[in-house]
Amino acid sequence: KGVYDVGNINFRVKNRTPHGTIDVEGDLGNSWHYDAHYSYGENRFRSDFTNNFSPAFWNLAVDAVVNPANGQIVCRANLPGQPANPLAAGCVPINIFGPTATSRTTPQALAYVNRSDYNAVIYKQHTASINMRGEPFSTWAAPVAIAFGGEYRAESQVQTAGPLSSAGRFAIGNVSPFSGKFNVKEGYFEAIVPLARDLPFARNIDLNGAIRYADYSIAGGQTTW
C-alpha cells in the first residue's frame, strides 16, 4: 500500500533581508578626492513544517502484531524482549488495509508517523571600500591621473535544523546543520599618463595601466593587470 492518504505537509516560511549602507565622499584639495562606504546585510530564512511523513516512524507503526499478554494490537518494537529503539516510544499501530485506511486511522497514529520540525539559515555579509583619485603632476601633454583603493568583503552562513531533520528522518525536507565563512581583501592602482594632445596625426595619446590584487581567505591570492 502506498502512503497517499497520510496527508499533506504544511509549511510556514519566513524570509527577511535587511540591508544598510553608509557612504562618505569628499574633496581633499589639489585635485584629490575620496569616497568610502560600509554596508551590512543579512538574510534570515526559517521554514517550520508539520505533518511531514517519516519513513522511520512509519516502519515501526506498520510492524503491528498481537500482544500475547492481552490480545491487543501493538507495535512489535514495544514488545518485551525487542531491541531498544528510542523511536519506538509512543508508537501507535497504523492500519494500512483499504484504500483510505490510513487516513481513517486514529489521530494518535497519524501524529506518530507525521512529524513536525524546522530548518533555518542566517547569511551575513559585510562590505567596505575606500577609493582615492587625483592628478599629482603633469606631463607635457596634460595632468597625470591616478586612482587607488581597497575593498573588503566578508560573508558567513549558519544553517540549523531540528533533531529529526538533522537525522534524516523525513522522506523529504531533511537539512544538515553546517556553518561556513570566507573573506576577500583587494587593493588596486590605476594610472593614465598623457603622452600627446592635438597632434596632426592624433587628437590624444595616453598610456593607461592598472593592477589589482585580491586575497581570498579560502583560495589564496590573485593578481590581475
Side-chain angles (χ1 to χ4, degrees):
K1 182 186 189 302
V3 292
Y4 300 108
D5 55 341
V6 296
N8 296 322
I9 307 173
N10 301 309
F11 290 96
R12 182 178 178 85
V13 176
K14 293 182 179 180
N15 195 43
R16 297 186 296 126
T17 310
H19 184 269
T21 301
I22 298 175
D23 296 282
V24 294
E25 59 181 34
D27 183 350
L28 299 174
N30 296 322
S31 79
W32 285 99
H33 303 270
Y34 74 91
D35 64 80
H37 97 278
Y38 168 76
S39 70
Y40 172 77
E42 63 181 38
N43 177 252
R44 291 181 174 268
F45 170 89
R46 182 180 174 102
S47 175
D48 292 277
F49 50 85
T50 60
N51 206 54
N52 195 357
F53 176 74
S54 171
F57 292 100
W58 171 267
N59 292 338
L60 294 173
V62 297
D63 187 13
V65 297
V66 176
N67 186 343
N70 54 24
Q72 295 182 348
I73 303 298
V74 297
C75 298
R76 186 192 303 272
N78 287 334
L79 285 178
Q82 295 295 315
N85 187 341
L87 300 183
C91 181
V92 181
I94 197 164
N95 180 14
I96 63 173
F97 296 101
T100 59
T102 301
S103 60
R104 291 186 287 105
T105 194
T106 63
Q108 293 81 3
L110 283 178
Y112 175 76
V113 169
N114 295 335
R115 297 297 179 113
S116 301
D117 216 336
Y118 79 96
N119 62 75
V121 177
I122 300 177
Y123 199 99
K124 298 180 179 180
Q125 182 188 75
H126 300 264
T127 68
S129 71
I130 183 169
N131 303 286
M132 300 285 293
R133 57 194 181 277
E135 298 175 343
F137 60 91
S138 297
T139 66
W140 56 88
V144 173
I146 66 172
F148 59 90
E151 300 177 8
Y152 176 78
R153 184 173 86 253
E155 302 188 26
S156 64
Q157 177 170 315
V158 177
Q159 180 167 282
T160 57
L164 297 179
S165 179
S166 300
R169 301 299 186 190
F170 297 108
I172 62 172
N174 296 304
V175 172
S176 297
F178 77 91
S179 62
K181 61 182 179 180
F182 74 92
N183 65 72
V184 184
K185 297 178 285 289
E186 300 186 59
Y188 74 92
F189 178 85
E190 182 174 4
I192 300 177
V193 181
L195 301 180
R197 288 289 185 275
D198 299 323
L199 296 178
F201 57 88
R203 177 173 296 179
N204 60 73
I205 301 175
D206 294 333
L207 177 64
N208 176 249
I211 187 170
R212 174 181 288 263
Y213 178 77
D215 179 26
Y216 296 84
S217 63
I218 59 176
Q222 179 67 47
T223 301
T224 56
W225 52 274

